[in-house]
């Protein structure tokens, strides 16, 4: 059983008529918009891709550094990868001249939470950088690792609740799956597609977990 950790934001509301101060919960009412990374495969396609992935023992972390995966590079104008995903996955997002969001809302499909402050949102690497390193990216060039870390063409990046992303860390589906069980089907298809596209290996236990998640998909 996985648990999400909701963050409560509080603000002071001054009651001028009574010269009193009370604490109220700040709630933003928005219509959630699901984050939709591109090229999520169908169940049948994901199954075919899973069947072709190479199963091998997990590699070591020797030599690993996040700096070997240059990320949040400039994509267009002043917008970097993070800002591009925030605009893609958010609702009614407005940005300043530096492309940083100034307003909007973000629905996190991992846990079902909606946020109005982009500081509450992380951009998750679906297949974590360290997991990729252990699965074959240790032999890539830095240029290829940069392309992987900023992949906007396949379902490798998604806006989610920050502390849920931090709880995930670099775990694979054997030990971590989205707290919102209804999203595990989609998550498995994204994970499989990313590993397939980038030619990464997977462990036997990881493949078993992905198969169980994929079995919950209707299409």
């Amino acid at each position: 059983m996985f648990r999400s950790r909701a963050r409560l934001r509080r603000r002071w509301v001054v009651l001028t008529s009574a010269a009193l101060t009370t604490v109220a919960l700040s709630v933003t009412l928005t219509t959630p918009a699901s984050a939709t990374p591109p090229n999520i495969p169908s169940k049948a396609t994901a199954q075919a891709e899973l069947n072709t992935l190479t199963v091998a023992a997990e590699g070591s972390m020797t030599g690993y550094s996040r700096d070997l995966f240059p990320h949040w590079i400039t994509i267009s104008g002043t917008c970097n990868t993070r800002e591009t995903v925030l605009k893609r996955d958010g609702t009614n997002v407005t940005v300043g001249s530096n492309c940083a969001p100034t307003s909007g809302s973000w629905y996190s499909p991992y846990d079902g939470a909606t946020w109005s402050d982009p500081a509450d949102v992380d951009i998750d690497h679906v297949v974590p950088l360290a997991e990729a390193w252990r699965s074959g990216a240790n032999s890539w060039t830095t240029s290829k690792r940069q392309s992987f870390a900023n992949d906007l063409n396949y379902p490798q990046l998604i806006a989610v609740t920050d502390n849920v992303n931090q709880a995930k860390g670099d775990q694979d589906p054997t030990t971590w799956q989205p707290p919102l069980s209804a999203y595990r089907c989609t998550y498995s298809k994204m994970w499989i597609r990313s590993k397939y596209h980038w030619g990464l290996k997977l462990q036997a236990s990881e493949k078993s977990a992905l198969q169980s998640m994929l079995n919950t998909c209707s299409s």
Side-chain angles (χ1 to χ4, degrees):
M1 178 68 68
F2 299 94
R3 295 181 179 177
S4 61
R5 296 176 292 172
R7 176 179 300 176
L8 295 180
R9 294 187 165 276
R10 299 182 182 276
R11 66 182 179 184
W12 292 100
V13 179
V14 179
L15 303 178
T16 55
S17 60
L20 297 173
T21 303
T22 187
V23 177
L25 183 65
S26 177
V27 178
T28 300
L29 298 177
T30 59
T31 301
S34 296
T36 52
N39 288 315
I40 299 174
S42 66
K43 177 181 180 179
T45 299
Q47 183 66 69
E49 292 175 352
L50 178 61
N51 292 344
T52 67
L53 290 176
T54 299
V55 177
E58 189 169 66
S60 76
M61 289 291 288
T62 301
Y64 171 75
S65 169
R66 285 179 66 85
D67 292 340
L68 295 173
F69 292 80
H71 51 288
W72 305 169
I73 61 173
T74 299
I75 299 298
S76 177
T78 60
C79 299
N80 65 23
T81 313
R82 170 181 163 81
E83 292 157 347
T84 300
V85 176
L86 285 173
K87 288 197 294 182
R88 182 196 72 189
D89 291 356
T91 300
N92 299 324
V93 178
T94 59
V95 300
S97 59
N98 63 351
C99 203
T102 56
S103 65
S105 66
W106 291 268
Y107 173 74
S108 168
Y110 283 7
D111 59 336
T114 298
W115 303 100
S116 59
D117 185 346
D120 290 319
V121 180
D122 277 357
I123 306 304
D124 179 41
H125 287 95
V126 174
V127 175
L129 304 183
E131 166 66 19
W133 179 268
R134 297 188 296 262
S135 303
N138 61 317
S139 65
W140 293 353
T141 63
T142 300
S143 176
K144 184 173 181 178
R145 286 192 289 263
Q146 175 175 293
S147 295
F148 172 79
N150 298 277
D151 184 5
L152 294 170
N153 297 316
Y154 288 87
Q156 170 59 12
L157 299 173
I158 187 170
V160 298
T161 300
D162 57 356
N163 56 0
V164 173
N165 180 50
Q166 291 153 20
K168 170 185 171 179
D170 66 352
Q171 299 177 81
D172 70 35
T174 306
T175 54
W176 190 92
Q177 297 174 18
L180 193 62
S181 60
Y183 197 71
R184 292 175 189 171
C185 160
T186 301
Y187 185 79
S188 68
K189 293 191 291 185
M190 293 194 299
W191 184 285
I192 292 166
R193 170 53 58 89
S194 188
K195 282 219 163 180
Y196 176 81
H197 173 70
W198 289 99
L200 294 169
K201 301 174 184 178
L202 79 172
Q203 301 168 266
S205 59
E206 177 187 348
K207 182 174 183 178
S208 178
L210 287 166
Q211 185 64 68
S212 295
M213 296 165 75
L214 195 59
N215 288 344
T216 69
C217 300
S218 59
S219 61

